Short mmCIF file of all heavy atoms in Angstrom, two decimals:
data_model
loop_
_atom_site.label_atom_id
_atom_site.label_comp_id
_atom_site.label_asym_id
_atom_site.label_seq_id
_atom_site.Cartn_x
_atom_site.Cartn_y
_atom_site.Cartn_z
N PRO A 1726 98.62 58.96 -15.13
CA PRO A 1726 98.12 60.31 -14.68
C PRO A 1726 99.19 61.18 -14.11
O PRO A 1726 99.15 62.36 -14.23
CB PRO A 1726 96.99 60.00 -13.67
CG PRO A 1726 97.18 58.56 -13.26
CD PRO A 1726 97.87 57.88 -14.41
N ALA A 1727 100.17 60.56 -13.37
CA ALA A 1727 101.26 61.34 -12.79
C ALA A 1727 102.09 61.96 -13.93
O ALA A 1727 102.61 63.04 -13.80
CB ALA A 1727 102.15 60.39 -11.89
N SER A 1728 102.22 61.15 -15.04
CA SER A 1728 103.05 61.71 -16.18
C SER A 1728 102.27 62.90 -16.80
O SER A 1728 102.86 63.91 -17.17
CB SER A 1728 103.21 60.62 -17.20
OG SER A 1728 103.98 61.09 -18.31
N HIS A 1729 100.93 62.82 -16.84
CA HIS A 1729 100.16 63.95 -17.37
C HIS A 1729 100.44 65.16 -16.47
O HIS A 1729 100.65 66.26 -16.94
CB HIS A 1729 98.67 63.58 -17.29
CG HIS A 1729 98.11 63.09 -18.60
ND1 HIS A 1729 97.83 63.91 -19.68
CD2 HIS A 1729 97.77 61.83 -18.96
CE1 HIS A 1729 97.38 63.29 -20.69
NE2 HIS A 1729 97.26 61.96 -20.31
N TRP A 1730 100.32 64.90 -15.19
CA TRP A 1730 100.51 66.03 -14.17
C TRP A 1730 101.86 66.65 -14.40
O TRP A 1730 101.97 67.87 -14.47
CB TRP A 1730 100.41 65.42 -12.78
CG TRP A 1730 100.24 66.32 -11.64
CD1 TRP A 1730 100.68 67.60 -11.54
CD2 TRP A 1730 99.49 66.08 -10.46
NE1 TRP A 1730 100.36 68.15 -10.31
CE2 TRP A 1730 99.61 67.24 -9.64
CE3 TRP A 1730 98.80 64.96 -9.95
CZ2 TRP A 1730 99.04 67.32 -8.39
CZ3 TRP A 1730 98.17 65.09 -8.73
CH2 TRP A 1730 98.31 66.23 -7.92
N PHE A 1731 102.88 65.86 -14.51
CA PHE A 1731 104.28 66.40 -14.67
C PHE A 1731 104.40 67.18 -15.91
O PHE A 1731 105.00 68.34 -15.92
CB PHE A 1731 105.25 65.22 -14.68
CG PHE A 1731 106.63 65.57 -15.03
CD1 PHE A 1731 107.50 66.11 -14.09
CD2 PHE A 1731 107.13 65.43 -16.32
CE1 PHE A 1731 108.80 66.49 -14.41
CE2 PHE A 1731 108.41 65.79 -16.67
CZ PHE A 1731 109.25 66.28 -15.75
N VAL A 1732 103.95 66.61 -17.02
CA VAL A 1732 104.14 67.30 -18.35
C VAL A 1732 103.47 68.69 -18.37
O VAL A 1732 103.98 69.67 -18.80
CB VAL A 1732 103.68 66.40 -19.49
CG1 VAL A 1732 103.74 67.17 -20.82
CG2 VAL A 1732 104.55 65.18 -19.57
N TRP A 1733 102.14 68.66 -18.02
CA TRP A 1733 101.41 69.91 -18.13
C TRP A 1733 102.01 71.05 -17.20
O TRP A 1733 102.11 72.18 -17.62
CB TRP A 1733 99.94 69.65 -17.73
CG TRP A 1733 99.21 68.95 -18.81
CD1 TRP A 1733 98.88 67.68 -18.83
CD2 TRP A 1733 98.71 69.45 -20.06
NE1 TRP A 1733 98.17 67.30 -20.00
CE2 TRP A 1733 98.13 68.37 -20.76
CE3 TRP A 1733 98.75 70.72 -20.68
CZ2 TRP A 1733 97.50 68.58 -22.02
CZ3 TRP A 1733 98.19 70.88 -21.90
CH2 TRP A 1733 97.57 69.82 -22.53
N VAL A 1734 102.41 70.61 -16.00
CA VAL A 1734 102.99 71.62 -15.05
C VAL A 1734 104.32 72.13 -15.56
O VAL A 1734 104.64 73.34 -15.50
CB VAL A 1734 103.07 71.06 -13.66
CG1 VAL A 1734 103.91 71.91 -12.76
CG2 VAL A 1734 101.70 70.87 -13.07
N THR A 1735 105.20 71.20 -15.96
CA THR A 1735 106.59 71.67 -16.26
C THR A 1735 106.65 72.43 -17.63
O THR A 1735 107.44 73.31 -17.80
CB THR A 1735 107.55 70.45 -16.33
OG1 THR A 1735 107.05 69.47 -17.23
CG2 THR A 1735 107.64 69.84 -14.95
N GLN A 1736 105.78 72.05 -18.53
CA GLN A 1736 105.83 72.64 -19.92
C GLN A 1736 105.01 73.90 -20.02
O GLN A 1736 105.27 74.58 -20.97
CB GLN A 1736 105.44 71.60 -20.95
CG GLN A 1736 106.34 70.36 -20.94
CD GLN A 1736 107.77 70.73 -21.05
OE1 GLN A 1736 108.26 71.54 -21.92
NE2 GLN A 1736 108.62 70.21 -20.11
N MET A 1737 104.10 74.15 -19.07
CA MET A 1737 103.29 75.37 -19.24
C MET A 1737 104.09 76.60 -19.15
O MET A 1737 103.74 77.69 -19.60
CB MET A 1737 102.17 75.37 -18.17
CG MET A 1737 102.67 75.54 -16.76
SD MET A 1737 101.31 75.36 -15.63
CE MET A 1737 102.14 75.49 -13.98
N SER A 1738 105.28 76.51 -18.53
CA SER A 1738 106.13 77.67 -18.33
C SER A 1738 107.26 77.74 -19.33
O SER A 1738 108.08 78.71 -19.33
CB SER A 1738 106.76 77.72 -16.90
OG SER A 1738 105.74 77.77 -15.96
N HIS A 1739 107.39 76.77 -20.27
CA HIS A 1739 108.57 76.70 -21.16
C HIS A 1739 108.19 76.60 -22.65
O HIS A 1739 108.69 77.39 -23.42
CB HIS A 1739 109.43 75.54 -20.76
CG HIS A 1739 110.15 75.75 -19.41
ND1 HIS A 1739 111.01 76.81 -19.20
CD2 HIS A 1739 110.15 74.96 -18.33
CE1 HIS A 1739 111.44 76.72 -18.03
NE2 HIS A 1739 110.99 75.62 -17.44
N ILE A 1740 107.31 75.67 -23.01
CA ILE A 1740 107.00 75.47 -24.43
C ILE A 1740 106.52 76.71 -25.15
O ILE A 1740 106.88 77.04 -26.25
CB ILE A 1740 106.10 74.22 -24.65
CG1 ILE A 1740 106.83 72.94 -24.44
CG2 ILE A 1740 105.46 74.24 -26.04
CD1 ILE A 1740 106.08 71.69 -24.80
N PRO A 1741 105.58 77.47 -24.46
CA PRO A 1741 105.08 78.68 -25.13
C PRO A 1741 106.10 79.85 -25.17
O PRO A 1741 105.86 80.87 -25.82
CB PRO A 1741 103.87 79.10 -24.25
CG PRO A 1741 103.53 77.94 -23.48
CD PRO A 1741 104.80 77.24 -23.23
N MET A 1742 107.22 79.70 -24.57
CA MET A 1742 108.21 80.79 -24.51
C MET A 1742 109.16 80.67 -25.65
O MET A 1742 109.08 79.79 -26.56
CB MET A 1742 108.96 80.68 -23.17
CG MET A 1742 108.05 80.79 -21.94
SD MET A 1742 106.97 82.20 -21.91
CE MET A 1742 108.13 83.48 -21.56
N ASP A 1743 110.19 81.52 -25.68
CA ASP A 1743 111.17 81.58 -26.75
C ASP A 1743 112.07 80.33 -26.73
O ASP A 1743 112.63 80.02 -25.67
CB ASP A 1743 112.00 82.86 -26.63
CG ASP A 1743 112.94 83.04 -27.81
OD1 ASP A 1743 112.60 82.99 -28.95
OD2 ASP A 1743 114.24 83.08 -27.55
N ILE A 1744 112.13 79.67 -27.83
CA ILE A 1744 113.01 78.52 -27.97
C ILE A 1744 113.92 78.65 -29.18
O ILE A 1744 113.43 78.83 -30.34
CB ILE A 1744 112.18 77.22 -28.13
CG1 ILE A 1744 111.19 77.08 -26.94
CG2 ILE A 1744 113.11 75.96 -28.16
CD1 ILE A 1744 110.25 75.84 -27.12
N ASP A 1745 115.19 78.76 -29.00
CA ASP A 1745 116.08 79.12 -30.09
C ASP A 1745 117.48 78.50 -29.82
O ASP A 1745 117.74 77.86 -28.82
CB ASP A 1745 116.13 80.68 -30.17
CG ASP A 1745 116.52 81.16 -31.58
OD1 ASP A 1745 117.02 80.38 -32.37
OD2 ASP A 1745 116.25 82.30 -31.82
N TYR A 1746 118.45 78.83 -30.75
CA TYR A 1746 119.78 78.50 -30.51
C TYR A 1746 120.46 79.48 -29.60
O TYR A 1746 119.83 80.53 -29.21
CB TYR A 1746 120.50 78.39 -31.86
CG TYR A 1746 120.01 77.22 -32.73
CD1 TYR A 1746 119.06 77.36 -33.72
CD2 TYR A 1746 120.57 75.90 -32.49
CE1 TYR A 1746 118.63 76.31 -34.52
CE2 TYR A 1746 120.14 74.80 -33.28
CZ TYR A 1746 119.18 75.05 -34.22
OH TYR A 1746 118.77 73.96 -34.94
N GLU A 1747 121.67 79.19 -29.26
CA GLU A 1747 122.42 80.04 -28.26
C GLU A 1747 122.53 81.53 -28.72
O GLU A 1747 122.84 81.81 -29.86
CB GLU A 1747 123.83 79.47 -28.15
CG GLU A 1747 124.70 80.29 -27.14
CD GLU A 1747 124.21 80.23 -25.72
OE1 GLU A 1747 124.47 79.28 -25.04
OE2 GLU A 1747 123.56 81.22 -25.34
N LYS A 1748 122.11 82.42 -27.85
CA LYS A 1748 122.17 83.82 -28.11
C LYS A 1748 123.22 84.50 -27.18
O LYS A 1748 123.46 85.78 -27.28
CB LYS A 1748 120.82 84.52 -27.80
CG LYS A 1748 119.69 84.06 -28.77
CD LYS A 1748 118.40 84.68 -28.34
CE LYS A 1748 117.31 84.27 -29.25
NZ LYS A 1748 115.95 84.88 -28.85
N HIS A 1749 123.77 83.80 -26.22
CA HIS A 1749 124.74 84.33 -25.24
C HIS A 1749 124.24 85.58 -24.48
O HIS A 1749 124.81 86.63 -24.41
CB HIS A 1749 126.06 84.75 -25.96
CG HIS A 1749 126.72 83.64 -26.65
ND1 HIS A 1749 127.40 82.59 -25.98
CD2 HIS A 1749 126.87 83.29 -27.99
CE1 HIS A 1749 127.82 81.67 -26.87
NE2 HIS A 1749 127.53 82.08 -28.10
N GLN A 1750 122.98 85.36 -23.92
CA GLN A 1750 122.41 86.46 -23.12
C GLN A 1750 122.93 86.42 -21.67
O GLN A 1750 123.50 85.41 -21.23
CB GLN A 1750 120.87 86.23 -23.12
CG GLN A 1750 120.16 86.38 -24.51
CD GLN A 1750 118.71 86.03 -24.39
OE1 GLN A 1750 118.34 84.89 -24.23
NE2 GLN A 1750 117.89 87.06 -24.55
N ASP A 1751 122.67 87.51 -20.99
CA ASP A 1751 122.94 87.52 -19.54
C ASP A 1751 121.92 86.63 -18.86
O ASP A 1751 120.89 86.23 -19.44
CB ASP A 1751 122.82 88.99 -18.99
CG ASP A 1751 121.44 89.56 -19.12
OD1 ASP A 1751 120.59 89.29 -18.32
OD2 ASP A 1751 121.27 90.29 -20.10
N TRP A 1752 122.25 86.29 -17.58
CA TRP A 1752 121.43 85.35 -16.85
C TRP A 1752 119.95 85.69 -16.74
O TRP A 1752 119.08 84.96 -16.94
CB TRP A 1752 122.05 85.11 -15.43
CG TRP A 1752 121.43 84.06 -14.59
CD1 TRP A 1752 120.55 84.26 -13.52
CD2 TRP A 1752 121.58 82.65 -14.64
NE1 TRP A 1752 120.24 83.11 -12.97
CE2 TRP A 1752 120.86 82.07 -13.65
CE3 TRP A 1752 122.35 81.80 -15.55
CZ2 TRP A 1752 120.79 80.73 -13.45
CZ3 TRP A 1752 122.29 80.50 -15.32
CH2 TRP A 1752 121.57 79.87 -14.28
N LEU A 1753 119.73 86.96 -16.45
CA LEU A 1753 118.35 87.43 -16.21
C LEU A 1753 117.53 87.35 -17.52
O LEU A 1753 116.42 86.75 -17.57
CB LEU A 1753 118.35 88.84 -15.74
CG LEU A 1753 116.97 89.40 -15.48
CD1 LEU A 1753 116.27 88.85 -14.23
CD2 LEU A 1753 116.99 90.99 -15.26
N ASN A 1754 118.05 87.93 -18.58
CA ASN A 1754 117.33 87.84 -19.88
C ASN A 1754 117.16 86.46 -20.38
O ASN A 1754 116.07 86.11 -20.90
CB ASN A 1754 118.06 88.72 -20.90
CG ASN A 1754 117.67 90.15 -20.87
OD1 ASN A 1754 116.55 90.57 -21.24
ND2 ASN A 1754 118.56 90.98 -20.30
N MET A 1755 118.17 85.63 -20.27
CA MET A 1755 118.05 84.24 -20.77
C MET A 1755 116.94 83.45 -20.04
O MET A 1755 116.07 82.80 -20.64
CB MET A 1755 119.37 83.50 -20.49
CG MET A 1755 119.38 82.09 -20.91
SD MET A 1755 120.99 81.26 -20.69
CE MET A 1755 121.10 81.25 -18.87
N GLN A 1756 116.87 83.68 -18.65
CA GLN A 1756 115.86 82.97 -17.89
C GLN A 1756 114.45 83.48 -18.18
O GLN A 1756 113.51 82.73 -18.25
CB GLN A 1756 116.18 82.98 -16.42
CG GLN A 1756 117.53 82.38 -16.07
CD GLN A 1756 117.66 80.93 -16.34
OE1 GLN A 1756 116.67 80.21 -16.64
NE2 GLN A 1756 118.82 80.35 -16.28
N LEU A 1757 114.37 84.82 -18.31
CA LEU A 1757 113.03 85.39 -18.43
C LEU A 1757 112.48 85.09 -19.87
O LEU A 1757 111.22 85.07 -20.09
CB LEU A 1757 113.12 86.86 -18.25
CG LEU A 1757 112.80 87.41 -16.84
CD1 LEU A 1757 111.31 87.17 -16.46
CD2 LEU A 1757 113.70 86.68 -15.79
N ASP A 1758 113.35 84.97 -20.87
CA ASP A 1758 112.93 84.65 -22.25
C ASP A 1758 112.40 83.24 -22.22
O ASP A 1758 111.52 82.89 -23.07
CB ASP A 1758 114.10 84.77 -23.22
CG ASP A 1758 114.28 86.14 -23.75
OD1 ASP A 1758 113.47 87.08 -23.35
OD2 ASP A 1758 115.22 86.40 -24.58
N ALA A 1759 112.84 82.38 -21.35
CA ALA A 1759 112.51 80.93 -21.48
C ALA A 1759 111.48 80.49 -20.43
O ALA A 1759 111.04 79.35 -20.47
CB ALA A 1759 113.78 80.08 -21.20
N THR A 1760 111.03 81.39 -19.52
CA THR A 1760 110.17 81.03 -18.48
C THR A 1760 109.05 82.03 -18.25
O THR A 1760 109.24 83.19 -18.62
CB THR A 1760 110.93 80.86 -17.14
OG1 THR A 1760 111.63 82.05 -16.80
CG2 THR A 1760 111.90 79.71 -17.15
N CYS A 1761 107.95 81.56 -17.58
CA CYS A 1761 106.93 82.53 -17.26
C CYS A 1761 106.31 81.95 -15.93
O CYS A 1761 106.54 80.81 -15.51
CB CYS A 1761 105.83 82.65 -18.25
SG CYS A 1761 104.87 81.23 -18.55
#
Side-chain angles (χ1 to χ4, degrees):
S1728 183
H1729 264 284
W1730 195 327
F1731 171 82
V1732 171
W1733 288 101
V1734 168
T1735 58
Q1736 297 311 305
M1737 65 185 179
S1738 298
H1739 291 303
I1740 283 185
M1742 305 303 291
D1743 183 55
I1744 305 175
D1745 205 342
Y1746 290 96
E1747 178 66 82
K1748 297 178 181 177
H1749 300 290
Q1750 296 173 290
D1751 61 80
W1752 185 257
L1753 181 71
N1754 274 286
M1755 179 179 66
Q1756 302 295 350
L1757 270 291
D1758 276 359
T1760 58
C1761 67

